[in-house]
Amino acid sequence: MIGTILLNIGLAGALAYLTLLYPSLRQTIKLRAHRSRLPPGPKAGKTGIAKPWVYFRQLSAQYGDVVYVPGLSSAGPTVVLGSARAAWDLLERRGAVYSSRPRFVVGGELLSDGLRGLMAPYGDFWRRWRKLLHSGFMQRRSASYRPIQRLESAVLARDILADPGGFRAHVERYAASVIMLVTYGRRVVDVARDEVVKQNIEAMGRLTSVNIPGKYAAERYPALKYIPAMFAPWKAEDKVARGVATPCFTTHLLEEQEALGMSDLELAYTAGSPFGAGIETTAGTLASFFLACVKFGHNFIPRAQEELDRVVGRDRLPTFEDMEELEYVRAIASETFRWRPVAVLGGTPHASTADDMYNGMFIPKGSTIIAPLWTIHLNERDFPEPHEFKPERFLEDRDFPGTLGHSAFGWGRRICPGMHLGAASVNLNIARTLWAFNVTPAKDETGQDIDVDIFAFTDGFNSSPLPFPCSILPRSPQHADVVRRTYEEAVAELKTFKDSPVEV
Ligand code: HEM
């Protein structure tokens, strides 16, 4: 009897010792205990799929709004959310538990030394980084960047007028230049040859393509090849200290650096954050808007142009001050964010930092939480006929969590800090495009409309339309004149900013 008790105590002790040593064993035991309460889902997740958001949507259709998927990541189990409500309840309302990130061993830790805030776990570094992003891009601060957006958007309208076939490249230049001006106070004049943009794209490419840990140990800081070079001269010139530097995100960072106790390296990475997160997202959203115009424009462009003519008239481009009154144009922007969300997986996954129960389901600590916008924005309960582009949805009263009527900027403590800047770019450029141009299907040799595929999108973390044909013509010679005149004025004003270095 005593022998059995001792044996049991010994076994229990050994088990406790083992679970202390091996967290994964602890995890397995816990999952076994809660197996019957885990959310429904497949036995094992599929990996290596080109468009994982399509797979996640199928899972949600099969299993429901909360799906448990083991084996998708080495970081732990994955939970896939399939409705705006579930995403809101967990990621927004229980933000204290669901605001971390899964471990990104290669991209986050090896390549970036844990200094990329976007991938950083919920903790001290992320908090300081986030504070800077927030103060640099909160609503009031973003409003101070509006002159930059207004001027660059005048350049964009003229670029499209002069070279409508290159509209995609023009939109990309716009988005890159706004981010460069806001961050460093420099303009991007030629997106294909710009040194900083090019090196940033390379660094981002390395970051998303890494899969062999160790292979890249020799080049641990790719982003830093250019960031300090960009801002070190400023420090040397002591412009900030003399108070004559163009106010931008970097000057803001330098002002805050001491109070937050950030190192130069941390600061340099923080300055780089808007590059990775703010260019492709803005440009991709605007590209989707053009695609929507080609496919569905006959349904919504006439009403938008009627509103623009009434509110703005025909003698000037729309401005930010008009947006309040341009209710239908704003609805078009919201529907663009909803219809083809560029952050198609809902951005970088979240991770949970405590065990939790939701609607009777057990969600273990350390789960990777994915809330794919491809599922959430195409959920027929919230958006009937989800692939149809219908701005009217945003003029009706709908039961949808949050204030935007969509979830394109994510949730809770990780919500996109650049949302005000990004939304302002998308709204203004949609207003100006519809004011100035008729965007219609291109014609083939026989004069027939060329149809476009509204599902032809890139693979990858951010998904945007593949190239498609499109006709963009000024609404009248008078509209074209206004675009040219506004451009001339904008170029004169933009002379106060230096151009970013271009490859020779
Ligand atoms: C129209 C454009 C944009 C869209 C659709 C978009 C969307 C998103 C989404 C869905 C997330 C993930 C949120 C989450 O994890 O819950 C995110 C995060 C982020 N975005 Fe944006 N974004 C846009 C523009 C920008 C801009 C202009 C900036 C520049 C300041 C920016 C900076 C960031 C950063 C730094 C994060 C990471 C936040 C964190 O991990 O705490 N974004 N964005």
Side-chain angles (χ1 to χ4, degrees):
M1 175 70 179
I2 292 180
T4 318
I5 293 172
L6 283 179
L7 184 71
N8 278 344
I9 292 175
L11 279 176
L15 199 63
Y17 177 69
L18 276 174
T19 55
L20 263 181
L21 272 186
Y22 299 107
S24 61
L25 181 66
R26 222 163 46 224
Q27 177 84 346
T28 313
I29 292 169
K30 194 172 67 189
L31 289 183
R32 287 253 157 85
H34 288 92
R35 183 174 275 163
S36 62
R37 293 155 84 192
L38 289 172
K43 283 211 168 61
K46 288 188 202 156
T47 52
I49 302 166
K51 288 187 165 58
W53 49 93
V54 175
Y55 169 58
F56 292 143
R57 190 160 182 244
Q58 285 160 2
L59 286 181
S60 298
Q62 189 174 348
Y63 295 104
D65 287 354
V66 185
V67 185
Y68 184 83
V69 195
L72 265 191
S73 127
S74 58
T78 300
V79 172
V80 178
L81 306 179
S83 69
R85 174 51 62 192
W88 181 264
D89 284 349
L90 298 184
L91 307 182
E92 180 85 32
R93 295 172 86 174
R94 300 188 192 173
V97 172
Y98 289 95
S99 296
S100 199
R101 298 283 193 216
R103 265 187 90 183
F104 293 99
V105 178
V106 183
E109 295 172 21
L110 279 179
L111 278 184
S112 318
D113 223 25
L115 294 174
R116 278 189 191 270
L118 184 117
M119 298 186 198
Y122 196 62
D124 195 45
F125 168 70
W126 173 79
R127 235 176 253 113
R128 279 181 292 148
W129 170 87
R130 178 81 198 189
K131 202 168 172 190
L132 287 170
L133 260 299
H134 177 73
S135 53
F137 292 99
M138 64 183 165
Q139 198 157 13
R140 198 161 27 86
R141 185 92 186 186
S142 291
S144 73
Y145 301 135
R146 284 186 176 179
I148 285 170
Q149 290 169 296
R150 173 176 58 81
L151 297 171
E152 285 294 4
S153 142
V155 176
L156 174 60
R158 200 294 308 246
D159 285 350
I160 292 175
L161 178 69
D163 170 33
F167 75 94
R168 183 66 182 266
H170 305 318
V171 163
E172 272 158 21
R173 188 212 62 81
Y174 165 87
S177 197
V178 166
I179 290 296
M180 183 83 85
L181 280 163
V182 160
T183 309
Y184 299 117
R186 307 273 177 113
R187 283 198 73 208
V188 172
V189 279
D190 182 341
V191 76
R193 288 168 55 231
D194 191 282
E195 268 302 317
V196 180
V197 173
K198 221 180 72 187
Q199 291 192 29
N200 182 62
I201 289 169
E202 276 169 26
M204 290 308 288
R206 262 196 296 267
L207 210 60
T208 47
S209 68
V210 287
N211 48 16
I212 311 166
K215 183 175 169 190
Y216 297 98
E219 40 169 73
R220 281 161 69 126
Y221 311 114
L224 299 177
K225 283 183 188 160
Y226 59 89
I227 293 175
M230 277 301 296
F231 93 148
W234 294 17
K235 288 184 98 176
E237 285 169 37
D238 206 18
K239 273 183 166 182
V240 179
R242 287 186 286 117
V244 295
T246 317
C248 59
F249 186 47
T250 306
T251 55
H252 170 67
L253 294 181
L254 290 168
E255 281 157 18
E256 298 292 316
Q257 178 172 21
E258 218 177 287
L260 284 174
M262 297 274 266
S263 70
D264 282 359
L265 200 61
E266 287 175 333
L267 214 74
Y269 265 100
T270 307
S273 303
F275 278 82
I279 299 178
E280 226 184 312
T281 42
T282 305
T285 306
L286 284 168
S288 287
F289 159 72
F290 280 94
L291 185 66
C293 286
V294 176
K295 187 76 182 180
F296 302 102
H298 53 280
N299 292 334
F300 69 87
I301 292 180
R303 181 166 172 190
Q305 291 182 337
E306 181 280 316
E307 180 180 75
L308 285 157
D309 291 347
R310 184 165 38 80
V311 174
V312 180
R314 296 188 154 223
D315 301 327
R316 60 174 182 86
L317 289 183
T319 62
F320 281 114
E321 290 68 40
D322 297 315
M323 290 314 303
E324 177 78 30
E325 278 186 80
L326 295 171
E327 189 192 30
Y328 193 67
V329 172
R330 281 189 279 118
I332 293 172
S334 298
E335 178 67 343
T336 306
F337 281 122
R338 190 234 26 118
W339 178 66
R340 288 298 180 259
V342 60
V344 72
L345 287 168
T348 311
H350 289 220
S352 63
T353 45
D355 289 341
D356 194 25
M357 290 297 292
Y358 179 61
N359 290 347
M361 292 174 277
F362 176 69
I363 299 177
K365 171 181 173 177
S367 295
T368 295
I369 315 287
I370 304 183
L373 291 174
W374 187 252
T375 313
I376 291 172
H377 280 182
L378 297 176
N379 188 324
E380 295 184 11
R381 274 172 286 157
D382 288 322
F383 304 105
E385 299 185 284
H387 289 293
E388 297 284 309
F389 189 91
K390 292 184 179 172
E392 285 72 14
R393 299 178 204 275
F394 287 87
L395 303 176
E396 294 155 7
D397 272 343
R398 281 182 301 123
D399 181 23
F400 194 88
T403 53
L404 299 176
H406 60 75
S407 312
F409 294 108
W411 304 266
R413 300 179 190 190
R414 288 281 184 169
I415 199 168
C416 174
M419 61 188 287
H420 304 293
L421 187 74
S425 274
V426 169
N427 274 281
L428 186 69
N429 286 301
I430 287 180
R432 290 185 161 188
T433 301
L434 293 175
W435 181 91
F437 302 106
N438 285 320
V439 184
T440 54
K443 305 268 185 211
D444 65 17
E445 318 79 69
T446 63
Q448 297 291 309
D449 284 357
I450 304 176
D451 198 12
V452 285
D453 181 356
I454 57 167
F455 295 96
F457 274 65
T458 58
D459 298 342
F461 184 67
N462 286 323
S463 183
S464 57
L466 290 167
F468 58 91
C470 172
S471 159
I472 311 174
L473 292 170
R475 288 174 68 200
S476 75
Q478 188 190 349
H479 286 90
D481 282 346
V482 172
V483 168
R484 278 187 288 263
R485 194 190 68 221
T486 317
Y487 166 78
E488 298 299 336
E489 290 160 8
V491 167
E493 276 191 67
L494 281 166
K495 287 223 167 75
T496 52
F497 296 102
K498 275 192 189 155
D499 292 346
S500 164
V502 171
E503 182 193 46
V504 278

